[in-house]
């Protein structure tokens, strides 16, 4: 009788559970039994592993073989267990030393020829292994850079099972030549990307790290002083933004430029975002670490499951998780299903989403900056003077009611985007500020907030609880008088007053003030209610 064990990782959402892969050989009729709550893909690993072992030059044991995946109560999905199963079987057959693989974590899919194919979710899997105390992992060579992002873990990248056997037996490691001619795409990398993943599914438009010509420039937006100011405030404080206006006014142009005025992700945020993108299958090969805030722009026909996450079996990340630490842009927001939009209310408050399915409960990160863009009516001409809007009042009310009051109450900034004038379009008003100039002010404002929040669990003004704002970080005496009157008149809710104060702190940070003044609160009120009061024009760029 032979027995050996190795380790792998089962992913539940973006969280991992270390799984012990046990192989037991007993005399009897040759058979291969796999137990431990595997899914269909994992059950098929019996045939893949057998063919891979034989084609790697090792003998397949002709005995009764039982492979158990423990803990058996955790659902296990995917082909990432192939490598651990193969090594555990070879350890039980004493081809490799069972003691040398007992605590080794192996992640990878096996081809029938013995090549090790990459799988999604390497980063969260290695993170889970490190948290469980494991310090040695074996992954496909194409995923080694992603696994190496986890500190204090020794990573071995292999191209084939033959190479791994040679390493474990102190043999000569063979060179594995790519089967395809140079210059052709490696078909093995197909397992890393979900078909259809591309622009709008989590990566910001443009090329990170390039010069100004490589990404959308805010200077391309003509006019729209208030909307540009609101965009800057949203980026500096992490405030949600609603842009309403006629077609062609520049709502989408503004939203597409928002990711580039945000500061680059911190190391911790980059690891969180990369883990989500790796699980979702939208992490580009050769770019193991996402350094820029993601940008996710789902189509208005998206279902509630595609927005918040879900699907059959173990829930998968949705758009709110793909936009974690970045931008979720909902263009034509009024065309989304009302149930899908209202499902965003919980992650907007908590910064995460909890999805319960029969296969288990998954908690996914979802701290994003939401930007809504919508027309004022189905034809889009309702707010234009002399535009000839023929939408009946009842149709306009129903159209605008698709964005529910509780959802809009969670949006800090509401801006009416006016049509572009002829003077602005012809450049008579001068070219607006570039993305780089605005990004510098945003970075400086966030640095001021970071100093203020040092030693607290918060980093942005939008994250501060209202009680802390009213007691610990107070505005200048008398600055809130106008906002308090709006509360008494019923134009602001209690949540709305807290959000006005948060925006006022962001405006003060952009102006270099230590505390919000009456003008900062007036700007916040104007951006919150959408009622023009002249305050925004008084706080121009850089003042």
């Amino acid at each position: 009788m032979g027995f050996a064990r190795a380790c792998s990782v089962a992913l539940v959402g973006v969280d991992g559970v270390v799984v012990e892969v046990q192989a037991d050989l007993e005399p009897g009729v040759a058979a291969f039994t796999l137990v431990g709550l595997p899914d269909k893909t994992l059950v098929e690993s019996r045939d893949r592993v057998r063919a891979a072992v034989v084609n790697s030059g090792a003998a397949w044991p002709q005995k009764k073989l039982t492979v158990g995946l423990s803990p058996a109560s955790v659902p296990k999905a995917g082909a990432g267990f192939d490598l651990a199963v193969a090594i555990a079987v070879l350890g039980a057959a004493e081809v490799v030393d069972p003691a040398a693989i007992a605590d080794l974590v192996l992640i990878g899919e096996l081809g029938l020829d013995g090549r090790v194919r990459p799988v999604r979710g390497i980063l969260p899997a290695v993170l889970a292994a490190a948290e469980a105390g494991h310090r040695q992992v074996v992954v496909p060579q194409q995923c080694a850079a992603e696994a190496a992002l986890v500190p204090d873990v020794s990573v071995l990248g292999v191209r084939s099972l033959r190479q791994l056997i040679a390493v474990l037996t102190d043999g000569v490691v063979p060179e594995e030549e790519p089967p395809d001619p140079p210059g052709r795409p490696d078909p093995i990398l197909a397992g890393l990307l979900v078909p259809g993943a591309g622009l709008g599914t989590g990566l910001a438009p443009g090329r990170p790290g390039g010069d100004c010509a490589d990404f959308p420039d805010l200077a391309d937006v003509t006019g729209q002083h208030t909307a540009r100011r609101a965009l800057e405030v949203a980026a500096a404080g992490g405030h949600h933004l609603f842009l309403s206006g006629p077609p062609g006014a520049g709502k989408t142009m503004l939203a597409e430029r928002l990711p580039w005025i945000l500061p680059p992700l911190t190391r911790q945020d980059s690891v969180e975002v990369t883990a989500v993108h790796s699980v979702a299958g939208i992490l580009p090969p050769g770019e193991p670490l996402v350094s820029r805030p993601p940008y996710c722009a789902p189509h208005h026909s998206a279902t509630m499951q595609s927005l918040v996450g879900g699907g059959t079996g173990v829930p998968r990340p949705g758009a709110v998780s793909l936009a974690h630490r970045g931008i979720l842009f909902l263009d034509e927001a009024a065309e989304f299903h009302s149930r899908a939009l209202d499902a965003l209310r919980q992650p907007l408050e908590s910064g995460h989403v909890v999805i319960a399915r029969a296969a288990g409960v998954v908690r996914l990160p979802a701290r994003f900056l939401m930007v809504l863009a919508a027309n004022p009516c189905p034809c889009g001409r309702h707010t234009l003077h002399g535009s000839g809007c023929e939408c009946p009042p009842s149709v306009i009310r129903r159209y605008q009611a698709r964005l529910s009051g509780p959802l809009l109450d969670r949006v800090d900034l509401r801006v009416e985007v006016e049509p572009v004038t002829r003077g602005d379009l012809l450049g008579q008003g001068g070219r607006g500020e570039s993305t780089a100039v605005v990004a510098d002010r945003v970075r400086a404002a966030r640095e001021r907030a970071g100093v203020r929040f040092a030693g607290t669990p918060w980093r942005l003004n939008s994250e501060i609880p209202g009680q802390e704002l009213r007691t610990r970080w107070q505005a200048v005496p008398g600055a809130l008088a106008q906002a308090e009157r709006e509360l008494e008149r019923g134009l602001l809710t209690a949540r709305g007053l807290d959000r006005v104060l948060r925006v006022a702190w962001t405006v003060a940070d952009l102006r270099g003030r230590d505390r919000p003044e009456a003008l900062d609160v007036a700007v916040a009120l104007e951006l919150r209610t959408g009622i023009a009061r002249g305050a925004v024009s008084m706080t121009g760029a850089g003042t």
Side-chain angles (χ1 to χ4, degrees):
M1 181 181 71
F3 176 83
R5 65 184 182 91
C7 296
S8 191
V9 179
L11 289 178
V12 183
V14 293
D15 298 320
V17 179
V18 176
V19 173
E20 188 177 89
V21 181
Q22 303 172 337
D24 178 69
L25 284 174
E26 296 182 357
V29 178
F32 190 170
T33 303
L34 183 63
V35 298
L37 210 58
D39 72 340
K40 178 64 175 177
T41 304
L42 186 48
V43 168
E44 293 175 349
S45 69
R46 296 178 300 184
D47 299 319
R48 291 194 300 270
V49 168
R50 181 187 293 109
V53 169
V54 172
N55 289 327
S56 297
W60 182 260
Q62 299 300 316
K63 295 182 180 180
K64 181 182 178 181
L65 172 61
T66 304
V67 174
L69 308 175
S70 179
S73 59
V74 176
K76 303 164 190 72
F81 293 88
D82 289 1
L83 196 57
V85 171
I87 293 301
V89 171
L90 293 175
E94 298 183 350
V95 176
V96 299
D97 184 6
I101 64 172
D103 294 321
L104 191 62
V105 176
L106 304 106
I107 307 167
E109 177 185 347
L110 285 176
L112 300 184
D113 57 355
R115 287 191 297 168
V116 180
R117 305 176 66 92
V119 294
R120 300 192 296 269
I122 288 291
L123 178 58
V126 177
L127 283 170
E131 292 175 358
H134 295 272
R135 292 294 174 261
Q136 291 185 320
V137 297
V138 179
V139 298
Q141 189 180 62
Q142 295 86 348
C143 303
E146 181 181 347
L149 296 174
V150 182
D152 301 325
V153 173
S154 176
V155 177
L156 174 62
V158 294
R159 292 189 64 92
S160 67
L161 180 60
R162 186 183 299 106
Q163 285 184 339
L164 181 56
I165 294 174
V167 172
L168 295 175
T169 57
D170 295 328
V172 179
V173 179
E175 291 290 339
E176 296 290 347
E177 297 294 335
D180 297 306
R184 294 187 58 182
D186 191 349
I188 290 182
L189 298 178
L192 289 177
L193 294 176
V194 172
L199 183 63
T201 57
L203 299 178
R207 295 199 306 271
D211 55 28
C212 295
D214 293 325
F215 53 81
D217 194 346
L218 196 58
D220 297 334
V221 181
T222 57
Q224 307 301 356
H225 171 77
T226 301
R228 290 169 61 98
R229 184 64 171 164
L231 205 71
E232 183 177 340
V233 172
H239 304 287
H240 305 304
L241 173 63
F242 175 38
L243 300 173
S244 176
K251 303 185 295 294
T252 303
M253 287 184 66
L254 287 165
E256 288 180 346
R257 282 148 181 79
L258 181 55
W260 300 103
I261 65 176
L262 293 176
L265 297 175
T266 64
R267 174 72 180 189
Q268 179 181 353
D269 291 344
S270 293
V271 171
E272 292 179 4
V273 173
T274 302
V276 175
H277 285 208
S278 178
V279 170
I282 61 173
L283 190 64
E287 296 182 17
L289 187 66
V290 178
S291 60
R292 294 291 313 177
Y295 173 86
C296 190
H299 191 261
H300 60 258
S301 62
T303 63
M304 183 172 63
Q305 288 77 15
S306 66
L307 283 180
V308 300
T312 58
V314 178
R316 308 286 295 180
V320 296
S321 296
L322 299 180
H324 180 59
R325 301 296 181 187
I327 311 298
L328 176 65
F329 177 46
L330 302 182
D331 200 4
E332 305 295 343
E335 300 293 342
F336 282 80
H337 196 283
S338 58
R339 290 182 64 247
L341 291 176
D342 286 336
L344 300 176
R345 286 152 55 180
Q346 184 255 341
L348 284 175
E349 290 288 341
S350 62
H352 63 267
V353 58
V354 179
I355 308 170
R357 295 290 186 269
V361 179
V362 173
R363 184 180 186 274
L364 298 170
R367 187 166 295 282
F368 54 88
L369 195 165
M370 182 178 69
V371 180
L372 303 172
N375 297 325
C377 68
C379 75
R381 300 190 298 270
H382 174 60
T383 56
L384 301 179
H385 298 291
S387 60
C389 174
E390 299 180 354
C391 299
S394 59
V395 173
I396 296 176
R397 285 195 301 269
R398 284 197 302 270
Y399 185 82
Q400 295 178 349
R402 294 179 183 178
L403 300 176
S404 66
L407 176 64
L408 290 180
D409 198 38
R410 290 167 168 82
V411 179
D412 300 346
L413 311 173
R414 308 172 190 175
V415 177
E416 185 74 28
V417 182
E418 300 292 339
V420 181
T421 64
R422 184 182 65 175
D424 290 333
L425 193 61
L426 297 179
Q428 297 175 3
R431 186 176 174 87
E433 290 182 313
S434 66
T435 294
V437 173
V438 178
D440 287 339
R441 286 201 301 268
V442 169
R443 184 180 65 255
R446 288 204 174 191
E447 289 174 354
R448 293 181 63 88
V451 173
R452 184 168 63 249
F453 300 141
T456 71
W458 311 296
R459 293 184 293 175
L460 299 175
N461 291 318
S462 60
E463 301 173 358
I464 309 302
Q467 180 64 22
E468 296 288 338
L469 285 172
R470 291 188 294 271
T471 58
R472 187 173 178 181
W473 293 293
Q474 297 181 349
V476 171
L480 289 176
Q482 186 177 4
E484 292 170 352
R485 289 195 297 268
E486 301 287 354
L487 178 65
E488 293 175 354
R489 295 170 56 191
L491 298 180
L492 280 180
T493 63
R495 179 193 287 124
L497 181 61
D498 288 343
R499 292 182 177 272
V500 166
L501 189 51
R502 292 172 183 171
V503 175
W505 269 105
T506 301
V507 176
D509 288 335
L510 286 169
R511 298 178 65 204
R513 309 293 185 184
D514 294 331
R515 299 169 67 186
E517 302 175 351
L519 179 59
D520 302 323
V521 176
V523 172
L525 272 173
E526 181 173 338
L527 294 177
R528 168 75 182 182
T529 61
I531 301 175
R533 308 166 190 260
V536 171
S537 60
M538 294 175 61
T539 57
T543 64

